[in-house]
Amino acid sequence: MSAWVQYSLIFLWLTPLLAAAALRWGVRGAAKQRALSLGFAVPIFLVACALFVHEGTRHAYKEDHLEQGLGWLHSHFAVDGLNAVLLPLTAGLTLVALLMTPRADMRAGLAAKIMVVEGALMGSFLALDAGLLSIFVVLSLLPLWFDAKHRGSRPLQVIMKSLVAATTAALTVAMIGLALEASAAGVANPLDLVALASSPYSPSPWIGTLVLAVALLRMGIVPLHLWIPATAQHSTPHLALVTCLTPLGSFMLARLALAIFPRVLGPAAPLLMAVGAFTALYGAFLAVGQFDLRRIVAWFWVSQSGLVLAGFAGLDDASVSGALLQAMSTVVECGGLMLLTLAVEVRANTTDLRKLGGLAHNAPRMATAYLILAAAAVGFPGTISFVAEDLVGQGLLRDHPFVVGLLFIVTAVNGITLWRAFKRTFLGPPSPHADDLRGFEDLRRWETYAIGGMIATLLLGGFLPEPLLAVRRGVVDAIGRVEAVALTAGEGH
């Protein structure tokens, strides 16, 4: 392995955590915190992009890794076909979130909390040890919990405390059980994912069930979804954005459930298909009735998570490829829509559709960006979501035509939702209930560049999806082998 790759594997998760410590205890003042956080976020993004290019040019599912034994825990980090694209995606969203956070909001350690989330997400994506991955997953939720305590919102504190407690308890029990079982089966590194995948040992179904439940909780799948709209509306917005709008849940499905727990995922696939389709429908119809722009994006995220789960549950090369692609594109689309929503809130002091209207006159760049992102989010041709939804449909059509029909309805309803939000916010005359919006400002130059970069990513991926699919092809091949193992196990019974 190249020396720079070895150092980068540690740099990507450790640097944000060190930056968070410096921001929390070493720097005072909103301007200094903003400057220092951006000073760390930019090189992290560049290194993540370099690793993606490095992995994408290899045209195969290989890994560059760094490992060291730590008892049950195994310090094993790698960049491979599954996580290579998620690294610049996470780093880029964090960078844009920091860039678009108003300077006045850089208080109470907000920048430090965002950097902790980035470090935890990077560690989750890079870890090839189930125990370390679990630690990072729990760590990614702690800043939002502390933020809820700081804001003094009792209902939000209860939700976040329950979320953290449930995630911690489920993963702790699952990892202890996995370590004990794997050790008894003779696996030298009982939590190392490579060792587990290459050994004949098959974990007990109850362990996989706990891990699967955490993945579904992190995705926001019904009925484990309530924390998504609650945090989107009531938490510090830019912190909630980087914490909630992440592909971590779908990543756990691919990294853990699909590869390590076929005895759970195989038999549960029909149920997961039904749950995914229901979640997609439920989120779509809840979103269409909302009047708050934040909640619209949150429920749209829930709906898209259902689509991703349905694609995974198809256990077909095309549907799984589409689900992986959709999980990535949804982060960019929902992240961009939420950032524009927060830009509207900063300028108009509201995200209530009933108090907005006519903003396109003063903010044409913002209106154009919102319309493009909304179109991309529902699969407009030439965008990543168009390719992803087409792949999911192809993969599910033969065996699950009814589900494909439901997903078409979901896409139509989501299109209506986002068009309604755009129309009520940017077109027509201002609402008679609105404050004076004549001084409403358009996107600033750096905000335009940031949102423009997100749009360019969606368009580039839509016209040239092959690099994104190529780095994941090996993952899809591995999933096919997992499906075969699951079918063999089923025949044995």
Coordinates of all heavy atoms in Angstrom, one line a residue, residues 73 142 303 354 457 486:
L73 N -11.0 -5.8 19.7 CA -11.0 -4.8 18.7 C -9.8 -4.9 17.8 O -8.7 -5.3 18.3 CB -11.1 -3.4 19.3 CG -12.3 -3.0 20.0 CD1 -12.2 -1.6 20.6 CD2 -13.6 -3.1 19.1
L142 N -23.8 11.5 19.3 CA -23.6 12.2 20.6 C -23.7 13.7 20.4 O -24.3 14.4 21.3 CB -22.3 11.8 21.2 CG -22.2 10.3 21.7 CD1 -20.9 10.1 22.4 CD2 -23.4 10.0 22.6
S303 N -38.9 9.0 2.8 CA -39.5 8.4 1.6 C -38.4 7.8 0.8 O -38.5 6.6 0.3 CB -40.3 9.4 0.8 OG -40.8 8.8 -0.4
R354 N -46.7 29.2 4.3 CA -47.8 30.2 4.3 C -47.4 31.6 4.6 O -48.1 32.5 4.4 CB -48.8 29.8 5.4 CG -49.5 28.4 5.1 CD -50.2 27.8 6.3 NE -49.2 27.4 7.4 CZ -49.5 26.7 8.4 NH1 -50.7 26.3 8.6 NH2 -48.6 26.3 9.3
T457 N -22.2 17.9 -9.3 CA -22.0 16.5 -8.9 C -23.2 15.6 -9.4 O -22.9 14.5 -10.0 CB -21.9 16.3 -7.4 OG1 -20.7 17.1 -7.0 CG2 -21.7 14.9 -7.0
A486 N -27.1 -17.6 1.2 CA -28.4 -17.5 1.9 C -29.4 -18.6 1.3 O -30.1 -19.3 2.0 CB -29.0 -16.1 1.8

